[in-house]
Amino acid sequence: MKLILVSSPIDYSPASIVSRRLSRAGVDTHTEVSIVKEALAMGVEAFHLRKKSWGFEESQNFLANFNENELTKISIHGPLGWPIMLGLRRVHFKDNLKEISDEEDKFTESIEEIRTTFDVVKISRSFHQIDDLRFDAHKYDLAFLSPIWNSISKEGYDTPFDLDKLKGQLSNMRIQHIKNDQSIDLYALGGIDEDKISQAQELGFDGVAVLGCVWQSNDPIKKIKTLLAECTRVQKQSEDDSGGLTQ
């Protein structure tokens, strides 16, 4: 099982990011930048920067704190042109492609063209409905489906999914992908904590994306270590149960 970290929901100004503390999360020794750096060094698969109120300059200032290797593991949620302008190698599509502006529309014409033209290594998309996921998931390297459980960071954002039904739907989707020689990493998002990782794997997910459980923790780094350890344990158990055939 893989782990992706999504940014803190706190949209503070990056101008003071090096010295400002995440008091809401109970952190007094780490800034968000240092937490993300340590998380990536510990083995977190990727970091997704999602700050809805930030413009390009604020995002650019935040990303200036990361080295070249770290930037290969960072994706940004925003206008589709931003990752290219910022030199990132990951592109993320929002859920509702109908909301994409005419200026951005050229980026949706050919996902493979984006990959080759801009040396992109990962293209992802957010999904909130299973039908959209089944129809479009094969076009991307990875996809987020949410909320699988009731959100920790967004009060009142509850899951619409029947998990027993979802397990069968994801299984059928995988079978179809195998028949068509297609592959995608599927991440569960929404309400994830260490106690949900095993269940996410049983539902058919390749990994989990976390947000609230980390940034609302009194010790985000300790929480990330716990999550990574559980991902490793669940993956090993799955491989042992299947004779090493699990991804």
Side-chain angles (χ1 to χ4, degrees):
M1 290 288 282
K2 302 173 185 177
L3 181 68
I4 285 179
L5 177 63
V6 181
S7 61
S8 163
I10 303 173
D11 288 0
Y12 55 80
S13 171
S16 60
I17 199 165
V18 175
S19 60
R20 185 156 182 173
R21 309 305 181 193
L22 298 178
S23 57
R24 179 179 173 185
V27 179
D28 59 5
T29 57
H30 294 282
T31 64
E32 185 165 1
V33 166
S34 64
I35 291 170
V36 173
K37 281 178 168 287
E38 192 162 349
L40 293 174
M42 288 191 297
V44 166
E45 184 74 14
F47 171 68
H48 277 241
L49 177 61
R50 185 177 65 183
K51 302 282 191 181
K52 294 183 179 180
S53 70
W54 281 12
F56 179 83
E57 185 176 354
E58 290 170 308
S59 301
Q60 186 178 44
N61 290 340
F62 182 93
L63 293 172
N65 293 280
F66 297 90
N67 63 40
E68 184 175 351
N69 181 61
E70 291 165 339
L71 288 173
T72 65
K73 302 175 183 179
I74 295 177
S75 184
I76 186 169
H77 294 215
L80 290 175
W82 284 13
I84 309 306
M85 296 167 67
L86 291 166
L88 300 178
R89 299 187 67 195
R90 293 171 179 257
V91 171
H92 183 80
F93 286 79
K94 55 186 152 184
D95 182 29
N96 191 351
L97 297 185
K98 294 179 182 179
E99 295 179 359
I100 294 175
S101 66
D102 291 340
E103 291 76 16
E104 295 174 322
D105 189 54
K106 61 183 178 181
F107 291 104
T108 69
E109 293 178 359
S110 172
I111 291 175
E112 283 306 313
E113 186 174 348
I114 294 175
R115 194 188 309 279
T116 56
T117 303
F118 299 106
D119 193 25
V120 170
V121 296
K122 292 287 184 182
I123 299 178
S124 59
R125 180 180 166 189
S126 299
F127 291 90
H128 298 94
Q129 297 183 29
I130 188 64
D131 287 342
D132 291 339
L133 179 72
R134 288 186 297 189
F135 183 75
D136 273 344
H138 66 278
K139 301 176 183 177
Y140 306 91
D141 298 303
L142 62 95
F144 300 94
L145 183 63
S146 68
I148 302 305
W149 289 277
N150 297 344
S151 174
I152 296 172
S153 62
K154 191 183 298 183
E155 187 175 351
Y157 188 39
D158 296 342
T159 180
F161 299 110
D162 177 322
L163 296 188
D164 288 335
K165 183 178 180 181
L166 178 63
K167 181 177 181 178
Q169 291 170 322
L170 294 181
S171 177
N172 290 337
M173 186 183 77
R174 295 289 194 186
I175 292 171
Q176 191 61 45
H177 284 176
I178 292 172
K179 288 180 179 179
N180 296 333
D181 195 25
Q182 298 165 339
S183 177
I184 183 172
D185 283 340
L186 185 59
Y187 285 78
L189 174 63
I192 306 292
D193 209 335
E194 61 264 27
D195 63 342
K196 295 292 195 302
I197 293 174
S198 179
Q199 190 174 354
Q201 194 274 334
E202 292 172 1
L203 287 172
F205 290 96
D206 301 292
V208 294
V210 294
L211 168 59
C213 73
V214 169
W215 301 113
Q216 292 182 18
S217 168
N218 289 330
D219 190 338
I221 293 300
K222 182 178 180 180
K223 172 59 73 172
I224 293 168
K225 288 179 179 178
T226 299
L227 292 163
L228 283 169
E230 181 62 6
C231 282
T232 299
R233 186 198 69 79
V234 169
Q235 181 68 25
K236 184 178 186 303
Q237 182 64 55
S238 178
E239 290 174 352
D240 289 346
D241 292 345
S242 61
L245 298 179
T246 306
Q247 287 185 340

